[in-house]
């Protein structure tokens, strides 16, 4: 099966045309509230089943939790540890689908190493090794070959230091190496999903807030103009993440905050693998240092109960920052400190409330809830399993409404830009662009219009260029500077880099 053949471009003129069509009273099959990974996945699922779809997002695509993740496509190992074999297998299957069929351009094989230092006692190391072996079994059960994700193994101290040059050499007796999937960026997955849905005919409307949401429609407010619009739909899915309880009042969530630090690669001497650091005094908690785009390393993550009003953009607490720095420094000969920080980011996990339990113990399995009026809410889960969440939500909406549609097809629908790895390797465009845009990287180069300056890094130390900003305005629905710097690209994760890139973002918007 191939990517839907319609127009995948999102931009201001298309947004206006789509709003006009709705204002004329068009009745849609499915209205989706929320443009995170879950809502974009639902829109794609429904559009490729032949349904007419409108996706509305209050701010921008990936404005919520979906841009604040660790950007890993998990094989489900951590769920095995808690005995949740079903969720673990589901994760491994979804990772396989993403890496081999739907998004090989966005998800790369990612090595992660646990350095075996004196703080990791042999019994603990054996436990981790057993877990990694179980992860290999999961991978094989999902059908993922060793050529896509190599099996885990023990490596010697020299190899650990080659992958993580600033790890303490004293007492280092080797390391445990395992492989998982890593997204080039989480927000880019959301944008690719929304654009693929658009290519299948979905209307994708950002800056559109839904209120008075029921099983048969909602009031939409265009936050750019203030105009209000009544939309009627045969089915409605609430995919508003941590805000789902504001859209459907009978849904109760208990958000948990996860924080990451953003550091330069230079502070780690050039990290070639994820560094997995056991949290002292714990056998199953780890802090990760993850090499990322723009020559950065993300260090995460925490799990803090976050009661009270849900902020638009969560912020970390000082103790969370201290905890992450202290933990990662337990394995480093050259410690990192607050002076190295380029930035920090926090996201809220949309966990269903199960009163009394610690947030770390709440189920990460997704839930699909159908209200008496037919409104379907889909929450929980994770980026990795968005496709399955979407399938379950659309199935539930079809059941509730009695409507008919084709079976789910998304297992075999490649997202825009997807191609087999050997095809991607032959694309005549810079490797950093191919990793973010796949086959569309040639269109990003074309957006530079032959001006080589537009393909140069936007500021020293990053690999993002101005042509990406122009492409984002013309084809990825970016409407302002924030969309460009904080979601289509992630240059904004460093305040200094962000400030340097603002003029280029303004120029891209003017040229769009
Ligand atoms: C710190 C952290 C790290 C994580 N790391 C990983 C990881 O490495 N791998 C993984 O698989 N998962 C990870 N997860 C889990 C994953 O990020 C989330 O489960 C997922 O992103 C949730 O997506 P969502 O679409 O449900 O919610 P969101 O991304 O929050 O989307 C909801 C959207 O709804 C919009 N909205 C709200 N109200 C309205 C309204 N009234 N009208 C219109 N729109 C509205 C919001 O603006 C928002 O954009 C992590 C989570 C956290 C917090």
């Amino acid at each position: 099966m191939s990517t839907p053949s319609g127009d995948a471009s999102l931009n201001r003129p298309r947004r206006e045309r789509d709003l006009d069509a709705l204002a004329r009273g068009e009745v849609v099959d499915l209205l989706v509230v929320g443009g995170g990974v879950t809502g974009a996945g639902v829109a794609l699922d429904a559009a490729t089943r032949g349904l007419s779809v409108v996706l509305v997002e209050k701010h921008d695509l990936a404005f919520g939790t979906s841009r604040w993740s660790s950007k890993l496509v998990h094989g489900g190992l951590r769920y095995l540890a808690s005995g949740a074999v079903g969720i673990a297998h589901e994760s491994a299957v979804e990772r396989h689908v993403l890496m081999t069929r739907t998004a090989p351009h966005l998800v790369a094989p990612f090595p992660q190493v646990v350095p075996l230092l004196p703080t990791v006692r042999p019994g603990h190391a054996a436990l981790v090794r057993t877990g990694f072996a179980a992860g290999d079994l999961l991978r094989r059960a999902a059908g993922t070959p060793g050529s896509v994700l190599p099996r885990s193994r023990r490596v010697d101290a020299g190899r650990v230091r080659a992958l993580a040059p600033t790890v303490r050499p004293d007492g280092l007796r080797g390391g445990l190496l395992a492989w998982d999937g890593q997204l080039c960026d989480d927000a880019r997955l959301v944008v690719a999903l929304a654009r693929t849905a658009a290519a299948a005919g979905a209307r994708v409307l950002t800056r559109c807030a839904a209120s008075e949401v029921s099983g048969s429609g909602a009031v939409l407010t265009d936050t750019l103009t203030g105009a209000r619009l009544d939309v009627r739909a045969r089915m409605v899915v609430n995919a508003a993440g941590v805000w789902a309880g504001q859209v459907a009042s009978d849904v109760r969530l208990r958000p948990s905050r996860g924080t990451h630090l953003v550091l330069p690669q230079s502070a780690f001497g050039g990290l070639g693998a994820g560094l997995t650091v056991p949290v002292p005094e714990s056998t199953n908690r780890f802090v990760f240092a993850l090499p990322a785009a723009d020559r950065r390393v993300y260090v995460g993550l925490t799990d803090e109960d976050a009661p009270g009003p849900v902020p638009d953009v969560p912020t970390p607490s000082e103790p969370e920052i201290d905890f992450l720095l202290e933990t990662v420094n337990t394995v480093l000969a050259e410690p990192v400190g607050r002076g190295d920080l380029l930035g920090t980011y926090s996201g809220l996990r949309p966990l269903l409330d199960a009163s009394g339990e610690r947030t770390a113990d709440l189920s990460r399995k997704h839930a699909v809830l159908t209200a008496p009026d037919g409104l379907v809410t889909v929450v929980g889960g994770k980026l990795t399993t968005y496709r399955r969440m979407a399938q379950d939500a659309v199935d539930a909406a079809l059941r509730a409404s009695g409507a008919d549609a084709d079976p789910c097809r998304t297992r075999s629908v490649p997202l825009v830009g997807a191609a087999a790895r050997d095809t991607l390797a032959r694309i005549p465009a810079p490797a950093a662009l191919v990793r973010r845009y796949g086959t569309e990287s040639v269109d990003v180069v074309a957006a530079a219009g032959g001006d080589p300056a537009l393909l140069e890094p936007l500021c020293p130390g990053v690999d993002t260029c101005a042509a990406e900003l122009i492409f984002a305005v013309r084809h990825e629905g970016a409407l302002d500077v924030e969309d460009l710097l904080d979601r289509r690209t992630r240059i904004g994760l460093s305040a200094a880099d962000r400030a340097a890139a603002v003029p280029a973002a303004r120029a891209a918007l003017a040229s769009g």
Side-chain angles (χ1 to χ4, degrees), residues 264-497:
Q265 263 284 15
S266 54
F268 289 84
L271 199 54
L275 189 56
T276 303
V277 182
V279 174
E281 318 298 336
S282 162
T283 50
N284 61 358
R285 282 194 70 199
F286 300 91
V287 160
F288 304 95
L290 307 164
D294 286 325
R295 289 172 240 178
R296 293 170 182 166
V297 173
Y298 304 144
V299 174
L301 84 164
T302 57
D303 196 331
E304 297 288 318
D305 219 350
V310 179
D312 275 356
V313 178
T315 48
S317 67
E318 293 301 314
E320 283 179 282
I321 298 174
D322 289 338
F323 163 77
L324 292 172
L325 287 173
E326 280 163 20
T327 308
V328 76
N329 281 338
T330 59
V331 302
L332 298 180
E334 297 162 39
V336 290
R338 283 186 177 248
D340 295 307
L341 292 183
L342 297 174
T344 59
Y345 68 86
S346 299
L348 295 173
R349 299 175 185 85
L351 304 180
L352 266 189
D353 194 357
S355 297
E357 290 187 52
R358 286 173 59 231
T359 54
D361 299 329
L362 290 180
S363 172
R364 263 49 172 175
K365 173 134 182 66
H366 65 270
V368 177
L369 314 165
T370 306
D373 71 353
L375 172 62
V376 170
T377 295
V378 54
V379 279
K382 52 196 191 301
L383 280 158
T384 308
T385 52
Y386 80 84
R387 195 204 61 79
R388 187 53 205 260
M389 293 171 70
Q391 177 179 350
D392 291 351
V394 175
D395 282 345
L398 288 168
R399 270 197 307 275
S401 68
D404 206 18
D406 295 340
C408 173
R409 296 170 46 198
T410 48
R411 261 172 175 259
S412 52
V413 175
L415 305 189
V416 285
R421 279 182 205 287
D422 52 347
T423 307
L424 293 171
R426 289 194 303 271
I427 293 177
L433 291 183
V434 178
R435 274 199 296 278
R436 290 200 280 275
Y437 301 88
T439 57
E440 291 195 315
S441 50
V442 290
D443 303 322
V444 177
V445 172
D451 181 352
L454 297 179
L455 294 169
E456 290 297 315
L458 278 171
C459 56
V462 305
D463 53 25
T464 303
C465 65
E468 293 176 70
L469 306 179
I470 297 168
F471 184 79
V473 173
R474 293 180 187 163
H475 304 289
E476 296 186 331
L479 298 178
D480 64 18
V481 168
E482 284 72 31
D483 293 0
L484 286 171
L485 303 184
D486 299 329
R487 288 169 290 273
R488 299 307 173 279
T489 71
R490 302 313 296 273
I491 202 152
L493 286 173
S494 153
D497 292 349

Side-chain angles (χ1 to χ4, degrees), residues 35-110:
V37 74
T38 309
V42 169
L44 176 61
D45 184 292
T48 52
R49 292 190 199 210
L51 297 170
S52 65
V53 178
V54 172
L55 167 70
V56 293
E57 162 56 49
K58 190 175 184 176
H59 302 280
D60 179 29
L61 295 170
F63 180 87
T65 303
S66 297
R67 69 174 150 147
W68 302 129
S69 80
S70 304
K71 296 135 189 28
L72 295 177
V73 171
H74 294 292
L77 188 52
R78 55 175 295 192
Y79 305 106
L80 266 193
S82 52
V85 181
I87 312 182
H89 183 250
E90 184 176 282
S91 289
V93 168
E94 293 304 325
R95 179 182 65 181
H96 177 77
V97 170
L98 278 161
M99 295 191 76
T100 60
R101 253 176 273 154
T102 56
H105 58 317
L106 301 179
V107 186
F110 182 59

